[in-house]
Amino acid sequence: MHERSSVAELAGTLKAELDRYSVGEKLPSSRALVERFHVSPVTVTRALAQLAAEGLVVTRPGAGAYRAEPAAPAVTGDTSWQELALAVDPGASGDLVPRAVDASGVLVTLAEPPPGVVEFNGGYLHPGLQPERALAGALARAGRRPGAWGRPPTDGLPELRAWFAREIGGAVTAAEVLVTAGGQSALTTALRALTPPGTPVLVESPTYPGMLAAARAAGLRPVPVPTDPEGIRPDLLEAAFRATGARLLVCQPLFQNPTGAALPAERRAAVLRIARAAGAFVVEDDFARRLVHADAGPLPPTLAADDPDGVVVHVCSLTKITSASLRVGALAARGPVLERLRAIQVVDSFFVPRPLQEAALELVGSPAWNRHLRTVSEALRERRGVLAGALARTLPELALPHLPSGGYHLWLRLPDALPEAALLPAALRAGVAVAPGRPYFSAEPPAGHIRLSFAGVAGPAEIAEGVRRLRAAVDEITP
C-alpha cells in the first residue's frame, strides 16, 4: 500500500478510537501500534503527527501520545455585514459594485477529480512525466548549498536570473530579469504594474482563464481580440487599440492556451509594430516553450528577443515542464517599467524562497534536465497523436480546428446541438473530467467548446479509455 494512504487510514482508525480514552490518558505505544496494524514505525509516527496537528492528541518525546483536551465548540457569528464592506465605493450612478473575484476557471484545472476519473482537465504533467527523482536530488543538494537557508536577493539569485536571460534570448540580460513565484504570480504583477484599475486590457479570445481572473481582480476590463489558427489577428488588434485606447496587450505567441496556435513571423512582427505605435506594452506569456512536441520544427525566438525598445514584458516559468509545486518563474523587462515590477513584487511577496531557487538551479544545471526535456517532448507528441486519432474515430462531430505542435491540450468546438453546460456533468458521470470552454472567453463565446489535456493522464491507454467515456457522455445527452 502507498505510504500516504497507509498514514491516512491509520490516522482515521486512531481518530475513531479516541473516545475510548479519557483526556490525558496515554494511547498505546508506537511499538504496540506497529504490531497491531502491521505498519512501519514511520507510518505510526506520521499518523500520530497528523492527529497532533489536528489538536486531538499531545505527543511528549520519550513518553508517548496522550488524548488532548477537546477543542471548544465553534461560535457561529453573523458575517452578513461583510457583504457591504466588500463592495466598492458608490460610482457615478450611486450603485455599489461587488469586488468579486471569480477563480472558477482556474479551479477547474487545479482540482483533482474523484478516484477513477480520467483527468482530461488537468494543467500539469502526470507524475509519470515529472522528473521526480531529479527534483528530489536537486532539492537535497540545494539544501546543502552554503547559505541555502539565508535570505536571497530580492530580484532572485544572480545565477538563476542569468539562466533565465539566456533562455529568453536576444539582448536580455540578467539585470533585466526578476525571479518570481511561478508564472501566475508574474502575470499578476505585470497586470498591476502596467495599467491602472478601471482601464481596458486587450486579450486573445479565447485565452487563459487565470489571466482573465487576475486582470479582473486588478480592476481591469478585459477586451477580447479574436484569434484564428495562426493566433491573434493583427487587423483586429489594431482596431481594438484604436477603439479602446488600451495601453496593454496580453498574449501567448507560442502554443497558445487553449487553441495551441503559434504566431508566424509576420504576425509576430505586426503585433510588436502595432503595440509600439499605440504606445502600449505587450505581456508575452511564454508558458509552453519547453512543452514543444518532438515533431515540431525549430522554435521561433521570444517576442522579447526581437524587442529592443522595452515594449515586451516577458513571463515564463519552470512549473509546467516540471511540477505544480516548483513555482519558480521569471519576469523580464527593460526600461523604467522594470523598477515598478520590482517594487510590486517586493511589496507582495518580498522574494521567492531561496531553497526553491537553489533547487531550480540544481535541476536545470544537471545532466538530467535535457534528458527530461527530450522525454517529455516525445511523450507529448505521442499522446497528442493518440488523443487526436481517438477523437477522429470515436467523436468525429467534435471539431478540431488546429493540431498544435506544442503544449499539452486540444481545443475542440462542440456542435450546436451539444450544449457545453450539459456535457460537463454527463462526462463526470461517465468517469471523465474535461475543462469547459466558457471560462476561456472574456465575453460571450461564439460556440460551445471543451479543452482536453493529454499531459495529466497516465498514458495512451488511459487516453483511449477517456475518449470512450466521453463518447458515452455525448450519447447520454444527445437525442
Side-chain angles (χ1 to χ4, degrees), residues 307-385:
D307 167 45
D309 301 326
V311 172
V312 176
V313 173
H314 181 91
V315 171
C316 60
S317 170
L318 290 172
T319 304
K320 290 293 186 186
I321 189 59
T322 56
S323 161
S325 290
L326 188 65
R327 304 208 64 77
V328 176
L331 269 170
R334 53 169 49 104
V337 71
L338 181 61
E339 185 55 40
R340 184 176 296 182
L341 292 165
R342 177 185 290 117
I344 290 177
Q345 173 162 291
V346 168
V347 168
D348 281 353
S349 58
F350 289 178
F351 47 75
V352 176
R354 182 161 187 156
L356 207 55
Q357 294 191 56
E358 298 278 10
L361 266 175
E362 286 282 352
L363 178 66
V364 300
S366 71
W369 177 243
N370 285 328
R371 290 198 300 270
H372 170 65
L373 295 180
R374 290 191 296 269
T375 298
V376 172
S377 180
E378 181 56 42
L380 293 179
R381 180 203 61 79
E382 179 189 19
R383 290 167 178 228
R384 179 204 64 197

Side-chain angles (χ1 to χ4, degrees), residues 416-451:
D416 293 340
L418 184 58
E420 180 183 315
L423 179 57
L424 269 67
L428 273 180
R429 288 193 296 271
V432 58
V434 303
R438 181 63 186 88
Y440 291 83
F441 292 92
S442 60
E444 294 79 2
H449 292 80
I450 57 173
R451 196 196 74 163

Side-chain angles (χ1 to χ4, degrees), residues 440-476:
Y440 291 83
F441 292 92
S442 60
E444 294 79 2
H449 292 80
I450 57 173
R451 196 196 74 163
L452 302 184
S453 168
F454 46 81
V457 293
E462 190 170 18
I463 290 174
E465 174 61 17
V467 172
R468 187 194 67 78
R469 295 181 185 184
L470 189 57
R471 173 76 266 175
V474 171
D475 290 342
E476 176 192 331

Side-chain angles (χ1 to χ4, degrees), residues 35 73 76 78 164 226 247 271 291 296 357 366 372 380 399 401 475 478:
E35 294 176 354
T76 302
D78 178 10
F164 273 118
R247 292 295 181 265
V271 165
L291 298 172
Q357 294 191 56
S366 71
H372 170 65
L380 293 179
D475 290 342
T478 303

Side-chain angles (χ1 to χ4, degrees), residues 99-475:
R99 296 192 312 237
V101 178
D102 183 7
S104 58
V106 183
L107 292 173
V108 166
T109 59
L110 292 179
E112 291 189 19
V117 173
V118 176
E119 191 175 357
F120 277 159
N121 65 326
Y124 300 101
L125 296 179
H126 184 271
L129 288 179
Q130 295 176 15
E132 290 188 344
R133 295 183 64 180
L135 282 168
L139 192 59
R141 294 191 301 274
R144 297 191 296 268
R145 283 189 170 202
W149 296 93
R151 183 177 61 196
T154 54
D155 288 1
L157 297 180
E159 303 93 332
L160 187 57
R161 294 165 65 199
W163 182 85
F164 273 118
R166 290 193 298 272
E167 291 285 300
I168 296 167
V172 175
T173 68
E176 296 165 336
V177 174
L178 306 175
V179 176
T180 68
Q184 184 69 20
S185 174
L187 278 174
T188 300
T189 297
L191 288 166
R192 289 178 56 197
L194 298 176
T195 193
T199 57
V201 53
L202 303 188
V203 301
E204 297 162 312
S205 182
T207 193
Y208 167 51
M211 184 275 295
L212 292 176
R216 291 179 175 126
L220 307 180
R221 296 185 290 108
V223 176
V225 180
T227 60
D228 61 23
E230 292 191 328
I232 196 166
R233 290 181 49 183
D235 57 333
L236 297 180
L237 175 64
E238 194 164 22
F241 272 124
R242 285 198 305 267
T244 64
R247 292 295 181 265
L248 178 61
L249 162 69
V250 182
C251 68
Q252 296 174 326
L254 188 64
F255 312 139
Q256 197 257 0
N257 182 10
T259 66
L263 281 178
E266 60 274 14
R267 288 201 185 187
R268 293 160 50 81
V271 165
L272 290 177
R273 173 183 54 78
I274 292 167
R276 190 179 294 112
F281 287 101
V282 175
V283 173
E284 177 187 23
D285 182 8
D286 198 33
F287 79 104
R289 182 165 294 270
R290 297 174 187 87
L291 298 172
V292 61
H293 300 171
D295 57 354
L299 293 182
T302 63
L303 290 184
D306 292 334
D307 167 45
D309 301 326
V311 172
V312 176
V313 173
H314 181 91
V315 171
C316 60
S317 170
L318 290 172
T319 304
K320 290 293 186 186
I321 189 59
T322 56
S323 161
S325 290
L326 188 65
R327 304 208 64 77
V328 176
L331 269 170
R334 53 169 49 104
V337 71
L338 181 61
E339 185 55 40
R340 184 176 296 182
L341 292 165
R342 177 185 290 117
I344 290 177
Q345 173 162 291
V346 168
V347 168
D348 281 353
S349 58
F350 289 178
F351 47 75
V352 176
R354 182 161 187 156
L356 207 55
Q357 294 191 56
E358 298 278 10
L361 266 175
E362 286 282 352
L363 178 66
V364 300
S366 71
W369 177 243
N370 285 328
R371 290 198 300 270
H372 170 65
L373 295 180
R374 290 191 296 269
T375 298
V376 172
S377 180
E378 181 56 42
L380 293 179
R381 180 203 61 79
E382 179 189 19
R383 290 167 178 228
R384 179 204 64 197
V386 170
L387 179 56
L391 289 168
R393 293 188 301 272
T394 310
L395 285 160
E397 64 268 44
L398 304 188
L400 177 62
H402 176 67
L403 188 67
S405 57
Y408 56 91
H409 53 262
L410 298 182
W411 179 244
L412 300 162
R413 176 168 177 157
L414 305 180
D416 293 340
L418 184 58
E420 180 183 315
L423 179 57
L424 269 67
L428 273 180
R429 288 193 296 271
V432 58
V434 303
R438 181 63 186 88
Y440 291 83
F441 292 92
S442 60
E444 294 79 2
H449 292 80
I450 57 173
R451 196 196 74 163
L452 302 184
S453 168
F454 46 81
V457 293
E462 190 170 18
I463 290 174
E465 174 61 17
V467 172
R468 187 194 67 78
R469 295 181 185 184
L470 189 57
R471 173 76 266 175
V474 171
D475 290 342

